[in-house]
Amino acid sequence: MLTITKALHIIGVALFFGSILGHAITGLAEGVHGDAQAVLVARQILNVATWYLTLPGLVLVTLTGIGLVVIHERPQTNLRPHLLIAALIFMNAIFILLPTGQAILGTANELATGSGNASKFANLRGREAMFGAINILLCIVAIFIGVLKPGSTQN
């Protein structure tokens, strides 16, 4: 059971982390910032990726993480920082990035119909970029802590 749970945990990490890296890279693509219709299509694609990759990955990594703690019967001392970072990632994703992404999609839709506010859109994108970068950094640190297990005699 432990091996299957670990494998599912890695799949969850790949879905979640891979999709948020994809979100970040999408913003670098040429042509997705000028035309309101292109912006809307890009945001619609990101929204689909959020609901079909990012959130399922986050749920899978969270549930399997809880499962790994239960299987071990208690959190290992060296995993406390890992669990803290995982909780920060979860809260950032659910309470900041998801609502911001939905607001950006709504604003992009308004811009495409000619009734939107470009300043509001730019502010939301800045918020998403800042908190998205925080989640990327937290994911990298969590992966290193989870794999390297600092302070552990196991590797």
Side-chain angles (χ1 to χ4, degrees):
M1 187 68 172
L2 177 63
T3 305
I4 291 171
T5 306
K6 282 182 178 180
L8 290 173
H9 195 67
I10 292 168
I11 291 169
V13 170
L15 282 170
F16 178 72
F17 190 45
S19 68
I20 65 172
L21 289 174
H23 282 59
I25 295 302
T26 300
L28 300 176
E30 289 184 39
V32 298
H33 300 293
D35 177 51
Q37 281 303 124
V39 169
L40 177 59
V41 170
R43 294 313 305 191
Q44 289 170 332
I45 291 168
L46 290 176
N47 189 56
V48 170
T50 296
W51 290 102
Y52 287 95
L53 297 173
T54 310
L55 292 176
L58 183 59
V59 168
L60 183 59
V61 78
T62 301
L63 292 177
T64 56
I66 292 167
L68 289 169
V69 168
V70 169
I71 289 169
H72 287 291
E73 296 180 357
R74 60 179 167 65
Q76 299 169 0
T77 304
N78 64 317
L79 284 183
R80 286 188 181 138
H82 183 77
L83 296 173
L84 174 64
I85 292 168
L88 292 173
I89 292 167
F90 184 89
M91 290 187 301
N92 187 22
I94 297 299
F95 297 115
I96 297 173
L97 289 167
L98 181 61
T100 301
Q102 296 303 295
I104 291 171
L105 178 61
T107 305
N109 193 37
E110 292 169 359
L111 286 170
T113 62
S115 64
N117 181 328
S119 176
K120 177 182 175 185
F121 183 79
N123 288 338
L124 287 168
R125 281 197 62 239
R127 177 180 172 92
E128 181 184 54
M130 180 176 62
F131 285 98
I134 289 168
N135 252 14
I136 288 171
L137 292 173
L138 288 172
C139 283
I140 291 168
V141 172
I143 289 168
F144 273 95
I145 290 173
V147 172
L148 299 176
K149 299 177 178 116
S152 174
T153 56
Q154 295 177 314
N155 282 328

